[in-house]
Amino acid sequence: MSTEAEEGGTVGGIDISDSVLIAGNAVALFLLPWVLIDVFGMVGEVIDIAVGGYSGLPSLIIIYGIVVIGYNLLLGYTGMLSFGHAAFFGTGAYVAGVVSGTTGSPLVMILAGTVVATLIAWPIGWISIRRTGVYFAVITLTFGQMLYFWALGPGAWLTNGDDGFSSVQTGQLLGTFELGAPVVGGIEFLSVYTWEYLMIATLAIVALWTANRILNSPYGLIFEALGQNQQRVSFVGLDVSRYKLMAFIISAVFAGAGGALFIIHESYIHPNTAYYWIQSGDFVIMTVLGGAGSLVGPVFGAFIFEYVANVISGVSLPVIGSIGSLWRIVLGGVFVVIIWAFPKGIYPGMRDAVIWIVDRVRNRGGEQG
Amino acid sequence: MSLLQTTDLVKQFGGLTAVDGVSLSIERGTVQAIIGPNGAGKTTFINCVSGLLDPTSGSVQFNGDDITGQDPHEIVQQGISKSFQTASIFPRMSVAENVQIAAFGAEHGSFRFNFLKRRESYDAVQETTERMLRSVDLWDDRNIQAQNLPYGDKRRLEIAIALASEPELLFMDEPTAGMSPEETRQTVDLIENLQEELGLTIVLVEHDMEVIFRVSDKIAVLHRGSIIANAAPEEIRGDEQVQEAYLGGAEI
Ligand SMILES: Nc1ncnc2c1ncn2[C@@H]1O[C@H](COP(=O)(O)OP(=O)(O)O)[C@@H](O)[C@H]1O
Ligand SMILES: [Mg+2]
């Protein structure tokens, strides 16, 4: 995993500076809506099946991407399998929503949601990390479910319970820019690049940059070591609980920010999307699908997951008919095939494949020469 | 004052008393060997001192401080480190990273790590890593994944990790087990160097009598959890009780 820890930091021994990482991701984030909506849309017209994305989908993918970039720091490096990260996602969302009643500033909403999610991660993490493996997973699951039932019942005065929270009053970005408006008006091609998309994409770059920095700092090494031999970590003089708690809290920061962005994007949240254990499980699926233990891998997982959930679910096929709520079966199939073909996840798998092909081509070139 | 002092240390597993009232004092800068047949309680004794196990009774003093029952990381921070009997490494990290993490551990407490600072920029850590890898002759293998090292090299990596914690006292549990004669010779040289150049205090558990008699200042003989003799090598050689209990009358 060591090569992946240096992801974005070193490729083939060449040190890639932060600016290259940022620029590369910025290009990718710029291309995402174009590929998803326009390119896939054209393909859809040719094959006469609606496989093109809709305009809100890129934002949704990136929001979940931010969540799983953080979640991966926990699962992919320390190896701790949390089944309760919806607790932080949901809290980020509800807090941002509630705060919007007072100040609609999107940045304040995000900050508030992230801070409160981080604060509740402290005690939840402190208790959960005392156990490992299945017990850790079940304790985190239990915390998530406690919040779920709280949001449905006793917390309904704040969350609006089973009716869902819809009184979101998101204002303008920096008091100036309407989130739904395109950054550059009047050009059809650029209409999907709204202020909201710009804000979410910028935060995604901040998230990637931060995660990359953490992985290249001493903490990254310690997190990775925790995933491989905890006893040894304590026998080099490092407090295992402290670093596990730190990884847990860091991952919750990302989940909280993602939750806040989610409610800004959707203007609505229900306990089922906020806190239900299936939401926690979806984070696990995205991370493993995309590639746990690689910096950007989980974002690919979020892409595939949300694409199946939102586009494939709307596809109607001959014989089978409309896929609709069967999309989870399709997703299961996709998951099995990808993990069977690429046990480390789609991104590490593709990268290994590219390296393999490049090696083959080089070697052949060598033989001819 | 001795560097390490155990007083009536006892460890029971259910009905079995693995360590039975061990009082041992180890002087600074010496190599103390612990020998004894398999199951005598050598590893359990080390585990009780290093914090992996809590002793049933008795106490451990290090540098005059009572460290009985502290957590392993606290004990390491006070200056006791150990190399495990079976190589305990980070299998999917590079050889250099394995040592680096111990070097970071040694820095722990002197300052807080920065989340956003690259680990390459911690010069003291890089320097320690290189020095330790060179001392066990693994510098050239620094970029290899640890799990791909041959067994003897893994054991030497294990020693380098223990050293990178910059201990005052180093426990070595059968460091040469599974090593070739050449690797054993190198390890013995290393132990002698560590003691002479760094003034390190070493507690050595070992089966290879040649190694023991060459490097030890004192040899303690553990038999069924108790120390039946603790003296200079020449005396141990001549001790009849030891001959009988452990050496089985064999010539040494
Ligand atoms: N964790 C344990 N649980 C129960 N018995 C143990 C445990 N560890 C060691 N023992 C027993 O304690 C005795 C001493 O073992 P050990 O310290 O490993 O001996 P040595 O290292 O001298 O070979 C043995 O009888 C062993 O079976
Ligand atoms: Mg032993």
Side-chain angles (χ1 to χ4, degrees), chain B residues 43 85 173-174:
Chain B
T43 299
Q85 183 169 357
D173 199 351
E174 305 198 16

Side-chain angles (χ1 to χ4, degrees), chain B residues 121-133:
Chain B
S121 60
Y122 290 83
D123 293 335
V125 167
Q126 301 309 324
E127 194 263 326
T128 307
T129 303
E130 176 168 351
R131 194 155 39 85
M132 296 313 163
L133 282 174

Side-chain angles (χ1 to χ4, degrees), chain B residues 9-28:
Chain B
L9 206 62
V10 174
K11 179 66 193 181
Q12 293 173 325
F13 296 111
L16 176 88
T17 307
V19 173
D20 194 1
V22 171
S23 297
L24 190 66
S25 67
I26 294 162
E27 301 306 318
R28 201 179 288 274

Side-chain angles (χ1 to χ4, degrees), chain A residues 1-2 5-6 9 16 18 209-210 212-222 224-225 227-229 231-239 242-243 246 250, chain B residues 50 52 72-73 76-77 82-84 88-94 97 100-102 104-106 108 112-119 122 145 158 161-162 165:
Chain A
M1 214 179 283
S2 65
E6 283 147 21
I16 297 186
D18 287 340
W209 177 83
T210 311
N212 185 49
R213 271 307 181 89
I214 291 172
L215 289 175
N216 284 295
S217 81
Y219 289 96
L221 193 68
I222 295 168
E224 204 183 338
Q228 298 186 20
N229 189 347
Q231 189 185 73
R232 222 338 163 188
V233 173
S234 66
F235 273 92
V236 299
L238 296 165
D239 185 348
R242 186 184 144 180
Y243 290 99
M246 230 169 238
I250 291 171
Chain B
S50 64
L52 189 60
H73 73 266
V76 175
Q77 280 170 28
K82 84 165 179 174
S83 72
F84 285 70
S88 178
I89 57 177
F90 303 106
R92 293 182 304 284
M93 299 193 344
S94 74
E97 285 171 326
Q100 227 178 55
I101 189 157
F104 274 115
H108 182 100
R112 299 231 151 187
F113 305 139
N114 186 333
F115 275 117
L116 302 180
K117 189 168 164 184
R118 287 184 186 280
R119 45 185 183 261
Y122 290 83
Q145 244 192 17
E158 168 71 36
I161 296 172
S165 301

Side-chain angles (χ1 to χ4, degrees), chain A residues 113 323 327 335:
Chain A
I323 290 190
W327 69 268
F335 186 85

